[in-house]
Amino acid sequence: MVNESEQPTASAPLKFREPNPLAEGNYPGFAPRSVTENGLRIDYDVAVPMRDGAELYANVYRPEHTAEDLPVIIAWGPYGKHGGRTTAPSRSVASGVRHEQLSEYTAIEAPDPQFWCPDGFALMYVDPRGTWWTKGDYTLASDQEARDFHDAIEWAGTRDWSNGKVGLSGVSYLSIAQWRVAATRPPHLAAINPWEGLTDFYRDIAYHGGIPETGFMETFARRSLGYSTTRVEDLETLHKEHPFFDAYWQAKVADLAAIEVPAYVVASWSNQGLHGRGTLEGFKAISSPQKWLEAHGRKTWQYYYEPESLENQRLFFEWALKGVDNGWTRRPKVLTEVRERHSVGEFAQETEWPIARTAYTPLHLDTAAATLDEKPSETSTALRYPAQGEGNGARFRHEFTERTRLTGHAKLRLWIEADGSDDADLFVVLRKIDRSGEAVPFPFFALYDDGPIALGWQRASHRALDAERSTPWQPWHTHDREERLEPGVPVPVEIEIWPSSTLFEAGEQLELIVQGSDYMTGVLPGHRTTRNAGDHIIHSGGDHDSHLLIPVIPSA
């Protein structure tokens, strides 16, 4: 049942709903206590005071035989500091995380105390305001949450067992929270490790290209959020009530330029539709003079917990929080995995992102031949496909004549006409095709094994661009108004295709698919509500400069 009461804020009114019951999710209950076991000193349900007099509750893990001078790593998220939910997707077989990799103490998407504490770190899990036993209203990615997280950092950094330096770690929401709080500049915050977390709720997940995301958002709002004894932000209702990028969504965007602490940022090509874009945007926008980016093509949680990744996290935090000269600062500033196929690829060393030497190359659509050509056709042609129905759409291919590496942003400029509707929701897919004509699968969205190279989405009526923020390779849409289509009138639409990195050998092909529905129906993220009806008509050649812009990295 929705609670229709509204709470005015500085940015937009919020609505709240009744919480999910605490009996679900293996919640052990509220029980402040201290225990020593398995080499750990554990303080459960520790009260952490906030500036307004409220209290949050945290679990604090420390090495059993070290009482002082401990750097602190904090994981902050709404899924429960107690962890233990074996049904969590991050612990499923599909995630690639083996059961024996994590100790019983590990919270969902969080660092493992049994890995960190023996190495001389304290680890702290915090339940945000309004979640689980902590009182108050839960508001996600809000100014209130950022202030609370700030105060928790300062509390941890001033304990008699702390060395005064605090780092942040965790995946997904635990990463989103890092961007928000780091922008408030807590004095004791010394380093962040955002691991695949979005930075723009509207563009990164809620409305892909202006198309409402109805799969992940509903699951996230109903099942993942809102275990509480009070009330929680009604994300599902607010999502539907705010179809444009307005004050509600702006309030969830971090001031990335204000972030100056050292940052080890990890993104993935595989997390299309949730974390990939926002993590890379975060890296680009933060002001940290010491920042490192690693972009991989594997499964999210599997990569976070694998031994090599844990070692990299350890090196970063030992350098940033303990002052150990362990070679971390000599690490390449940017590492990008160049994928060949599922779980096969090599990391390339770069100095910046996007890669400055990128040769953005247009491949022109030929709707008559269903090809992507280096030169545009002088003849104007058109291709019609049904706007509804799984598997319908237009396909175009380009065969590479030499080894080619694509790494970075891609963009599709499409002249589109709708016959039967005054709008068009466009779903764009890039796939790699091997020499035998078969599609090459890649890890996708943390749980799947048969994904494409990259995806893009765009609602034609949301085609208005922000001229200052757009670049030739990355359109930036304002999403502040609609421009409906007129019958018989094709319009140019610029479609952002999320970044990726793939190696093609001579004879292999790049396939572009344009259709009116999700490429992988039933797989998150999903879009069940579109404005599509009748047919879409793609125009190319002549005056219609429909083309795919690809990021070619010149060979050394």
Side-chain angles (χ1 to χ4, degrees):
M1 183 177 73
V2 174
N3 184 339
E4 293 295 337
S5 64
E6 295 186 354
Q7 173 181 303
T9 69
S11 55
L14 293 181
K15 290 185 177 181
F16 294 87
R17 66 168 175 84
E18 293 179 356
N20 297 328
L22 297 189
E24 298 182 13
N26 298 329
Y27 182 58
F30 182 73
R33 65 198 187 281
S34 296
V35 300
T36 300
E37 59 188 30
N38 296 324
L40 302 175
R41 156 73 185 269
I42 310 172
D43 299 306
Y44 290 105
D45 291 311
V46 177
V48 180
M50 300 290 101
R51 68 187 71 179
D52 64 355
E55 288 184 333
L56 274 54
Y57 294 103
N59 289 350
V60 180
Y61 299 82
R62 288 177 279 164
E64 179 180 358
H65 300 297
T66 306
E68 58 184 15
D69 201 32
L70 294 170
V72 188
I73 297 175
I74 299 181
W76 173 290
Y79 309 128
K81 64 184 182 301
H82 51 281
R85 282 194 282 165
T86 56
T87 57
S90 59
R91 299 185 183 175
S92 67
V93 173
S95 75
V97 179
R98 301 186 308 279
H99 177 72
E100 63 271 17
Q101 282 182 271
L102 304 179
S103 76
E104 60 184 293
Y105 308 105
T106 311
I108 292 172
E109 300 187 317
D112 185 346
Q114 290 253 273
F115 175 82
W116 289 99
C117 292
D119 205 29
F121 291 86
L123 192 59
M124 179 171 158
Y125 297 154
V126 188
D127 287 340
R129 182 184 299 243
T131 66
W132 304 95
W133 198 259
T134 297
K135 305 302 181 184
D137 291 335
Y138 173 59
T139 57
L140 72 155
S142 64
D143 290 341
Q144 179 65 64
E145 184 179 36
R147 287 192 295 271
D148 289 347
F149 198 173
H150 177 117
D151 292 350
I153 290 169
E154 290 308 289
W155 181 87
T158 54
R159 298 306 90 196
D160 57 9
W161 44 260
S162 169
N163 75 346
K165 292 187 176 181
V166 177
L168 311 179
S169 185
V171 179
S172 188
Y173 194 102
L174 284 65
S175 180
I176 297 167
Q178 293 183 51
W179 301 114
R180 290 305 312 268
V181 72
T184 71
R185 300 180 180 176
H188 289 87
L189 180 62
I192 60 173
N193 177 211
W195 201 285
E196 299 190 46
L198 58 84
T199 51
D200 183 331
F201 260 89
Y202 185 94
R203 293 175 176 84
D204 293 346
I205 182 58
Y207 284 87
H208 291 134
I211 305 171
E213 200 287 326
T214 57
F216 178 86
M217 286 294 287
E218 289 183 4
T219 300
F220 183 57
R222 293 179 187 179
R223 301 178 189 175
S224 301
L225 296 180
Y227 290 94
S228 173
T229 61
T230 54
R231 61 179 193 166
V232 299
E233 182 176 336
D234 186 5
L235 179 63
E236 185 175 3
T237 296
L238 291 163
H239 174 222
K240 295 174 182 176
E241 292 181 351
H242 294 270
F244 297 104
F245 184 78
D246 58 11
Y248 174 69
W249 299 111
Q250 179 61 57
K252 297 186 183 302
V253 176
D255 180 7
L256 296 168
I259 299 174
E260 296 180 337
V261 295
Y264 171 32
V265 180
V266 179
S268 74
W269 317 129
S270 57
N271 220 320
Q272 298 277 319
L274 181 58
H275 293 145
R277 178 188 186 277
T279 309
L280 292 165
E281 290 303 306
F283 176 79
K284 287 194 292 186
I286 61 177
S287 300
S288 305
Q290 294 174 305
K291 62 179 182 178
W292 293 265
L293 172 67
E294 185 175 324
H296 66 93
R298 313 303 171 99
K299 292 182 177 181
T300 299
W301 300 301
Q302 179 183 38
Y303 195 72
Y304 180 71
Y305 290 116
E306 72 176 25
E308 186 175 352
S309 293
L310 291 175
E311 176 62 13
N312 286 333
Q313 295 167 43
R314 185 185 65 79
L315 289 172
F316 173 67
F317 282 124
E318 282 194 342
W319 165 75
L321 306 184
K322 293 184 177 183
V324 177
D325 183 6
N326 54 18
W328 177 264
T329 56
R330 296 183 287 280
R331 175 187 171 93
K333 287 293 185 181
V334 175
L335 289 171
T336 61
E337 184 180 14
V338 185
R339 302 183 297 177
E340 296 183 45
R341 58 185 184 275
H342 192 295
S343 300
V344 176
E346 294 185 0
F347 280 90
Q349 298 182 12
E350 306 294 344
T351 56
E352 74 285 305
W353 178 265
I355 301 170
R357 68 181 188 282
T358 305
Y360 293 99
T361 305
L363 298 177
H364 302 273
L365 278 65
D366 187 329
T367 52
T371 55
L372 297 167
D373 301 328
E374 294 177 357
K375 295 182 179 180
S377 172
E378 296 180 358
T379 305
S380 182
T381 59
L383 184 155
R384 177 187 294 260
Y385 66 85
Q388 294 178 304
E390 185 177 351
N392 295 326
R395 295 171 183 253
F396 306 85
R397 288 189 179 183
H398 173 80
E399 183 174 318
F400 292 98
T401 58
E402 61 183 7
R403 183 180 238 218
T404 304
R405 171 190 167 192
L406 305 184
T407 301
H409 297 270
K411 181 190 76 172
L412 178 62
R413 178 174 172 83
L414 200 67
W415 281 84
I416 192 73
E417 175 188 349
D419 183 4
S421 176
D422 63 357
D423 211 342
D425 287 338
L426 304 166
F427 296 78
V428 175
V429 185
L430 295 184
R431 298 201 304 174
K432 178 179 178 177
I433 308 298
D434 65 21
R435 293 189 182 99
S436 66
E438 297 296 320
V440 178
F442 293 96
F444 177 71
F445 204 70
L447 294 171
Y448 308 104
D449 295 294
D450 54 352
I453 291 173
L455 298 174
W457 307 261
Q458 189 61 44
R459 175 164 281 180
S461 63
H462 280 237
R463 62 188 178 275
L465 296 173
D466 183 326
E468 291 186 1
R469 301 195 70 171
S470 294
T471 65
W473 55 86
Q474 186 184 20
W476 194 283
H477 299 87
T478 59
H479 297 297
D480 59 357
R481 64 186 184 277
E482 288 187 339
E483 300 173 87
R484 296 295 184 109
L485 302 179
E486 298 179 22
V489 179
V491 298
V493 177
E494 305 248 321
I495 305 171
E496 177 184 9
I497 300 175
W498 283 26
S500 62
S501 182
T502 312
L503 181 67
F504 293 83
E505 300 290 354
E508 294 181 328
Q509 295 179 303
L510 173 65
E511 181 178 59
L512 165 69
I513 303 174
V514 183
Q515 58 189 35
S517 62
D518 286 314
Y519 171 64
M520 300 171 71
T521 304
V523 171
L524 299 176
H527 308 78
R528 293 191 302 273
T529 304
T530 71
R531 289 180 175 168
N532 289 334
D535 292 339
H536 292 165
I537 304 169
I538 299 175
H539 295 262
S540 70
D543 294 332
H544 302 108
D545 61 336
S546 294
H547 66 270
L548 174 67
L549 193 70
I550 57 173
V552 177
I553 306 301
S555 57

